């Protein structure tokens, strides 16, 4: 198992959910897919697939939907979702570290969160 994968600024495109579900459980540290042409939601129809990530950088793509249910189930220390097209509501427990979610830094600035 690799500790990280970085495919940023490469203009790779397409849906991101199949990639994350295929590789998220394999990589134990970091996935950086920032500043590409990725589109669609980050979640899939199989909630049983768990990622094994510490950092997830999806900034600068065309991702949609509500990423929070999938992300709240992870033990991430850094999540960068900036410059995407996400929608939905931000969970109340986003800043509550007593509920089991231990994300230290979430970057959402310059987002289009409807």
């Amino acid at each position: 198992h690799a500790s990280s994968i970085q495919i940023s600024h490469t203009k790779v495109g397409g849906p991101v959910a199949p990639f994350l579900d295929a590789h998220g459980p394999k990589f134990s540290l970091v996935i950086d897919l920032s500043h590409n042409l990725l589109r669609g939601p980050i979640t899939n129809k199989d909630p049983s697939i768990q990622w094994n990530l510490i950092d997830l950088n999806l900034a600068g793509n065309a991702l949609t939907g509500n990423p929070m249910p999938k992300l709240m189930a992870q033990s991430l220390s850094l999540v960068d979702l900036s410059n995407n097209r996400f929608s939905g509501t931000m969970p109340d427990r986003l800043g509550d570290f007593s509920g089991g979610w231990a994300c230290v830094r979430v970057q959402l600035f310059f987002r289009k969160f409807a």
Side-chain angles (χ1 to χ4, degrees):
H1 295 295
S3 62
S4 66
I5 185 170
Q6 181 174 2
I7 306 174
S8 63
H9 297 87
T10 60
K11 298 184 181 179
V12 66
V16 71
F19 179 87
L20 290 174
D21 287 340
H23 300 288
K26 297 177 187 174
F27 293 95
S28 59
L29 291 179
V30 178
I31 287 185
D32 182 352
L33 299 172
S34 62
H35 306 287
N36 283 301
L37 303 172
L38 299 171
R39 59 181 165 69
I42 67 168
T43 59
N44 69 3
K45 295 178 182 174
D46 185 357
S48 68
I49 296 175
Q50 293 297 310
W51 304 336
N52 187 31
L53 302 175
I54 295 173
D55 292 356
L56 178 62
N57 187 347
L58 298 174
N61 285 288
L63 301 173
T64 59
N66 187 350
M68 299 317 291
K70 184 71 172 186
L71 295 180
M72 295 296 284
Q74 309 304 309
S75 294
L76 296 162
S77 62
L78 171 68
V79 178
D80 190 341
L81 303 176
S82 60
N83 295 304
N84 279 288
R85 297 181 182 137
F86 292 119
S87 61
T89 58
M90 300 298 291
D92 291 336
R93 70 178 208 158
L94 186 61
D96 178 12
F97 298 106
S98 65
W101 198 54
C103 191
V104 174
R105 193 167 112 193
V106 178
Q107 294 179 201
L108 298 169
F109 41 85
F110 301 112
R111 71 199 181 283
K112 292 182 180 179
F113 224 98

